[in-house]
Amino acid sequence: MATDISERRKIQIELESKQAELLRSNKDLEQFAYVASHDLKAPLRAIELLVQWITEGLNGYDVNNVQENLGLLAKRTTRLNRLLDDLLAYSRAGRKVGAHRMTDTHALVADIVQMLNPPETVSISIDGQLPKFKTHPTPLETVLRNLISNAIKHHPGPQGRIVVSCKEEGDRYVYAIEDDGEGIPQQYAERVFEMFQTLKPRDQVEGSGMGLAIVNRIVQWQGGRVWFESPPSGKGTVFKFQWKKNQPVAANVETKACEAAG
Amino acid sequence: MRSSRVVTILLVEDDEVDVKALKWAFDKLKVANPLVIARDGTEALEMLKDLPRPYLIITDINMPRMNGIELLRNIRKSPELRDAIVFVLTTSNDEQDKIDAYDLNVAGYMLKTDMGTSSRERSA
């Protein structure tokens, strides 16, 4: 009799938790769809306007501007493409988790730097030896690549210095990516991680505004958090994130639902 | 503060194509008022410190650093700026944005629409 009740209670708790997760998932999807359609419309609208102005220009009104407008048109179509790619990457965060295997994160960062091919004016170095441990290399690579790429992109001066390091803290590692750029005011502590949020207009610094949203989603999926601080030197920013050691993490509920749907 | 009788228009807009669109519209309508551009709310607040009166502000909502609603909130909180005339010009058809804007006493809330065929089709 007692076992019966505790079984039922267990099932009930599981049901309630699944229901809460589904509700949260639906709310996420709604917000995602709103933000996505809204922010993707911007370059599309610009394309419509530019096509109209180019048409008018070619009809003899103002031929000089046609060249400039064609340039803007090309930029906007590229931007739209990138937004869509990054949107897909965001939706995959925490779903396409890949294998769980022995990963040399020191070599991983070296590979990332080589692939990003930073200009000679930016120096990227690793402080100490980054750990080798069992994890999901694919999402970890995405997080590291986005943070390092941001650090490269956002240094205002002619010289830039980026340092990657890692500390062990109990059952997790804390990675740090430090740059000597402009720094980010703490008032933007939450905004930078939102979808499509940029700190500079896209016409100044081209970027989808999705990089940190993707990083945040992945880091949270495996049970950690990401944030930024001012480095001890006071100049620049250091982004830090927590990454679980050795523990395989299941892909999100959405994956299972998608797989079930076939 | 220096006073002049020509109304300066401060446009707060981060997208250069949207800035062009407004300039184009002003040209067509033969609006010759001096036009000053800020790329987001933060820059707008800086510029408002020295902007000669009279002026009116046209602002987008979605912008980096400080969006249009936050800008409006800061304008209404400031004793020097609180009586400024502000219009919102945005793509956002969101009910909450409209409510927030009117709660902060905007003079008007205008949706950026496509000029040309689609608006003709709509009014047909």
Side-chain angles (χ1 to χ4, degrees), chain A residues 34 38 42 45-46 48-50 52-53 56 65 68-69 72 75-76 79 188 191 197-201 203-204, chain B residues 14-18 20-21 24 28 39-40 42 62-67 70 91-92 94 97 112 114-116:
Chain A
Y34 169 80
H38 196 273
R45 216 184 57 256
E48 283 178 306
L49 283 172
L50 288 163
Q52 194 183 331
W53 295 336
E56 285 184 1
N65 274 333
E68 184 187 325
N69 288 336
L72 281 172
K75 267 170 72 177
R76 287 298 187 276
R79 182 180 296 177
Y188 303 126
R191 173 171 299 199
Q197 283 298 319
T198 60
L199 286 176
K200 296 249 164 78
D203 299 323
Q204 258 180 45
Chain B
D14 64 319
D15 188 308
E16 66 185 309
V17 174
D18 282 337
K20 275 188 108 171
W24 180 83
K28 287 233 152 152
R39 303 310 289 270
D40 59 31
T42 309
N62 294 302
M63 296 179 291
R65 294 195 300 172
M66 186 192 295
N67 66 34
E70 290 164 339
T91 50
S92 171
D94 184 50
D97 279 340
K112 288 180 192 171
D114 320 305
M115 309 164 211

Side-chain angles (χ1 to χ4, degrees), chain A residues 17 27-28 48-49 66 74 111 139 151 158 160 203 220 222 229 253:
Chain A
S17 129
K27 186 164 164 285
D28 273 353
E48 283 178 306
L49 283 172
V66 170
D111 280 345
D203 299 323
Q220 282 188 354
Q222 54 88 52
E229 310 168 347
V253 154

Side-chain angles (χ1 to χ4, degrees), chain B residues 12-121:
Chain B
V12 193
E13 172 62 67
D14 64 319
D15 188 308
E16 66 185 309
V17 174
D18 282 337
V19 170
K20 275 188 108 171
L22 195 86
K23 285 183 175 169
W24 180 83
F26 277 9
D27 274 347
K28 287 233 152 152
L29 296 166
K30 306 263 193 290
V31 174
N33 299 64
L35 183 63
V36 170
I37 319 283
R39 303 310 289 270
D40 59 31
T42 309
E43 203 175 309
L45 283 178
E46 262 311 300
M47 293 175 100
L48 281 167
K49 290 181 184 165
D50 306 301
L51 200 65
R53 290 175 189 268
Y55 57 71
L56 68 85
I57 303 169
I58 300 177
T59 179
D60 189 4
I61 290 187
N62 294 302
M63 296 179 291
R65 294 195 300 172
M66 186 192 295
N67 66 34
I69 301 293
E70 290 164 339
L71 170 63
L72 248 176
R73 210 165 275 140
N74 281 318
I75 287 174
R76 296 302 178 220
K77 270 199 308 209
S78 149
E80 300 87 31
L81 304 175
R82 60 198 309 265
D83 58 349
I85 296 170
V86 184
F87 288 89
V88 165
L89 177 60
T90 179
T91 50
S92 171
N93 203 7
D94 184 50
E95 277 311 305
Q96 194 54 52
D97 279 340
K98 291 180 195 165
I99 291 170
D100 290 339
Y102 278 110
D103 274 351
L104 293 162
N105 299 101
V106 285
Y109 190 105
M110 302 175 290
L111 282 177
K112 288 180 192 171
T113 52
D114 320 305
M115 309 164 211
T117 43
S118 35
S119 64
R120 261 187 266 128
E121 279 164 4

Side-chain angles (χ1 to χ4, degrees), chain A residues 129-143:
Chain A
Q129 187 71 19
L130 300 179
K132 189 169 174 181
F133 62 106
K134 249 190 152 191
T135 186
H136 299 272
T138 308
L140 179 56
E141 192 268 351
T142 304
V143 169

